[in-house]
Amino acid sequence: MLLNVIVNPAGASGRAWKLWKRLEPLFSGSEFRLHTSTKERGIEDICRELTSTGEETALVVIGGDGTLNEAINGIADLELTRFGFVPCGTGNDMERDMALPKTKEDIVRRLLDGEVKRLSDIGELTYTDENGGVHKRLFNISSDIGFGAATCAFADRSRLKPLLNRLGLGKLIYLVGAVKVCLTAKPARVKITANGRTRLYKRCLCAIAMNHCYEGGGFKFCPHADFGDGKLDLCIGNGLAVPEFFHMLPLAYKGSHLKLRGVYEERADCIEMSSDIPLWVHTDGEVPGKTKKVKMKMIPKKLRLIV
């Protein structure tokens, strides 16, 4: 089967292209076609073109979680698409949760046969922007409002991020952002509806809906999340003082933060949230803007994975 290999040459500050050149010889015995993105023709555009033919298509994306997010939002027909990826990003949380082979070369060897090996749920975010416009984005890993999204927004706008990425230290900018957000974030009044119940959280700092159990480069905010169970897991931080929030973060790397006061979990196939102030929102670390109203749910179709 023809493998369509998709690379953003500028991805991960050029590391994605270097990784492709390293792995290219492994594809030499297979039928493949290389597609490189540009500013005018991005990852979403390429995936949409390739999956709009009405025929079975195999995509192999080399990039980080943000690139994978662009890819699934571009897929026109999930039922006719086989999807593989080689992680090359800052967080690589999708790889972390899927127990892929340890080396990039072994990952490539696993996907070269093009056979579907497992299925993954896909989440959908619907949000209302500050002008009243309604938008939708799919996500692989997570979507949240508050702390996580604000940290991503800080990182995206930081001039240090490209430099740190080139040095292989990209995670540092998220750590700096997390500290800044912890110190400056204003708690919001957030109503959350899940499983037919609506609760008001009067001092909400974060509400994280997750399909995979890791986000943000290894934070295990929802340790029970399972990408095949058809449910979203929700982690809520409410009424936490700054010292308590700083205490929670290192515990979240092990998933042991849920025992803390002010930390709550929920599981549902559909979650709705509304806040009294605009909050940053993200999908897989990609930040479209601020919102006061969101809905996260699982879509019926699955991502057919060849890894």
Side-chain angles (χ1 to χ4, degrees):
M1 185 175 192
L2 173 68
L3 298 176
N4 291 282
V5 181
I6 304 168
V7 187
N8 174 6
S13 299
R15 288 187 290 117
W17 184 251
K18 290 179 181 178
L19 177 60
W20 161 245
K21 297 308 293 182
R22 186 180 109 197
L23 299 176
E24 185 177 9
L26 295 177
F27 287 83
S28 60
S30 303
E31 187 181 4
F32 77 93
R33 183 176 299 143
L34 177 66
H35 307 264
T36 56
S37 65
T38 63
K39 289 183 178 179
E40 295 75 25
R41 182 172 176 260
I43 299 291
E44 280 192 42
D45 301 317
I46 294 171
C47 290
R48 189 170 294 110
E49 292 170 11
L50 292 172
T51 59
S52 296
T53 62
E55 299 178 355
E56 187 91 7
T57 307
L59 308 179
V60 176
V61 178
I62 298 177
D65 294 328
T67 300
L68 300 182
N69 181 268
E70 292 181 69
I72 63 158
N73 277 282
I75 294 175
D77 192 332
L78 285 163
E79 294 178 336
L80 289 177
T81 301
R82 303 184 185 193
F83 190 81
F85 67 96
V86 183
C88 180
T90 303
N92 295 329
D93 288 305
M94 193 164 172
E95 171 200 21
R96 184 177 284 107
D97 191 31
M98 302 191 80
L100 295 184
K102 291 183 178 180
T103 71
K104 311 298 187 194
E105 287 78 6
D106 284 341
I107 291 174
V108 171
R109 294 185 185 101
R110 179 175 168 84
L111 60 77
L112 280 176
D113 61 12
E115 295 299 317
V116 175
K117 299 173 179 66
R118 48 185 164 177
L119 305 176
S120 176
D121 294 324
I122 300 172
E124 180 186 77
L125 164 73
T126 302
Y127 70 96
T128 304
D129 65 29
E130 294 184 90
N131 296 317
V134 179
H135 310 270
K136 292 187 177 184
R137 292 289 294 176
L138 300 180
F139 59 91
N140 290 306
I141 300 166
S142 64
S143 178
D144 63 64
I145 57 172
F147 165 76
T151 300
C152 292
F154 172 87
D156 286 348
R157 289 157 176 75
S158 174
R159 296 178 181 178
L160 286 175
K161 186 178 180 181
L163 173 61
L164 291 173
N165 278 340
R166 285 195 294 271
L167 296 174
L169 301 172
K171 286 185 181 180
L172 286 180
I173 195 61
Y174 291 95
L175 179 60
V176 172
V179 172
K180 181 179 183 296
V181 172
C182 282
L183 293 173
T184 61
K186 179 182 177 182
R189 290 173 61 88
V190 178
K191 286 184 180 180
I192 298 179
T193 300
N195 297 314
R197 298 186 303 271
T198 299
R199 294 185 174 94
L200 172 64
Y201 297 89
K202 295 181 180 180
R203 293 182 54 79
C204 185
L205 284 171
C206 62
I208 307 164
M210 300 187 67
N211 180 32
H212 288 265
C213 64
Y214 295 98
E215 77 153 20
F219 285 106
K220 205 170 184 180
F221 285 119
C222 292
H224 305 117
D226 180 342
F227 60 84
D229 67 358
K231 302 285 186 179
L232 285 168
D233 283 51
L234 182 64
C235 177
I236 303 160
N238 181 68
L240 298 172
V242 171
E244 292 175 308
F245 204 67
F246 274 116
H247 177 57
M248 182 193 77
L249 288 180
L251 293 177
Y253 266 105
K254 296 182 179 180
S256 58
H257 59 298
L258 295 177
K259 61 185 179 183
L260 297 178
R261 183 197 69 82
V263 180
Y264 307 90
E265 65 175 332
E266 184 86 61
R267 175 173 292 164
D269 54 12
C270 182
I271 299 163
E272 296 186 50
M273 309 185 208
S274 60
S275 63
D276 63 333
I277 58 174
L279 298 172
W280 291 107
V281 62
H282 83 79
T283 53
D284 298 338
E286 302 299 296
V287 183
K290 287 187 174 183
T291 182
K292 294 172 70 175
K293 185 177 180 180
V294 299
K295 179 179 180 180
M296 294 98 158
K297 69 175 185 178
M298 289 301 191
I299 66 171
K301 296 180 180 178
K302 307 274 188 175
L303 188 63
R304 303 164 70 226
L305 291 160
I306 61 176
V307 289

